[in-house]
Amino acid sequence: GDRVLDVGYDGGLKEFHLRTALQLVKLPADGALEDLLMSQPLGVVLHAARKWPSLLGASAAVIGQGSIGQFFTAILKMQGAGPIITIDKEDSRLTISRKMGATHTVNATKEEPIQAVKNILGGEGPDMVVEACGLEDTYNMAIDMARKGGMMTFFGLPKYEKTALKLTDLIRRDNVIYTSNQGERDADFTLARDLIATGKVYPHPLISHKLPV
């Protein structure tokens, strides 16, 4: 049968799924399946990036370099943003982020991230800060990091329903916030598939393990 990507949103890790055609994206018959399946996380990142204005020449920081943060790094590079600074606690993730498009990296366990980012940018915060962790501390880090009048993308899903944010600082700094969740089959996941299939986005560095089904 055809190789397909399941883009339904009612859970996974099941032996069988019942899906309609509208919940599936057909994958190419050739190409590494593990790479093509990364169309799902890339698709939800593309859904967020569609909301942005042009970031050509804009400075950017991405907080968190899991698979979602890594794809944000790649898309920022594709959009012509730069410098692109990635922040994480793991050197291994930061090394991969260089392959995905980061121009600078900051290990949050070794230096204070906000000051480190501003030092890289000559004293000012980035034009765009992406939060890809979903933690109260990193949401507030994004608020403190972005330049006045800059933009933020809140993508990480908080563990708790209520999260304390520095709203007074946020309002006074005149920032714009984008939020995003999930993605659309035709607009996002098919594009993600095509970007990977044509080599415009190369997800292979993100794959650390292959486990039997």
Side-chain angles (χ1 to χ4, degrees):
D2 292 332
R3 303 197 299 179
V4 296
L5 175 71
D6 180 0
V7 295
Y9 282 104
D10 62 345
L13 301 178
K14 302 174 184 177
E15 188 173 359
F16 297 101
H17 279 290
L18 181 62
R19 290 287 187 249
T20 69
L22 295 178
Q23 295 173 300
L24 301 172
V25 174
K26 186 176 180 179
L27 299 175
D30 55 357
L33 183 60
E34 60 266 29
D35 290 348
L36 291 167
L37 291 176
M38 296 298 281
S39 301
Q40 196 282 333
L42 177 56
V44 297
V45 168
L46 290 172
H47 187 73
R50 287 182 184 279
K51 303 178 182 183
W52 297 341
S54 172
L55 294 179
L56 190 65
S59 58
V62 184
I63 302 172
Q65 286 296 285
S67 60
I68 294 296
Q70 299 278 7
F71 278 130
F72 269 114
T73 300
I75 295 305
L76 284 164
K77 179 184 178 182
M78 287 186 65
Q79 293 201 354
I84 301 171
I85 307 164
T86 55
I87 301 108
D88 203 276
K89 294 182 176 181
E90 299 289 338
D91 283 332
S92 59
R93 291 184 173 190
L94 294 172
T95 297
I96 293 172
S97 75
R98 291 271 188 179
K99 299 177 182 179
M100 302 300 288
T103 58
H104 301 76
T105 61
V106 174
N107 187 315
T109 67
K110 299 177 181 178
E111 50 187 330
E112 201 287 312
I114 296 171
Q115 191 58 52
V117 168
K118 290 183 177 181
N119 288 343
I120 293 168
L121 298 177
E124 189 172 49
D127 299 310
M128 167 66 81
V129 179
V130 177
E131 196 288 335
C133 297
L135 303 175
E136 183 176 305
D137 287 348
T138 48
Y139 274 119
N140 285 305
M141 182 189 298
I143 292 171
D144 290 337
M145 186 181 292
R147 70 167 176 82
K148 186 174 182 180
M151 297 169 283
M152 287 171 277
T153 298
F154 285 178
F155 191 91
L157 192 63
K159 181 177 180 180
Y160 303 104
E161 184 175 348
K162 295 182 179 180
T163 301
L165 300 179
K166 298 179 178 179
L167 289 180
T168 300
D169 291 347
L170 181 63
I171 294 168
R172 286 178 174 170
R173 292 172 64 82
D174 198 26
N175 294 117
V176 175
I177 299 177
Y178 298 93
T179 63
S180 188
N181 185 250
Q182 300 186 358
E184 298 178 6
R185 174 185 178 271
D186 294 331
D188 304 313
F189 297 116
T190 54
L191 175 59
R193 174 204 61 195
D194 293 343
L195 289 174
I196 291 174
T198 57
K200 293 183 174 67
V201 175
Y202 183 58
H204 201 72
L206 307 184
I207 299 171
S208 60
H209 296 78
K210 298 180 183 179
L211 303 176
V213 177

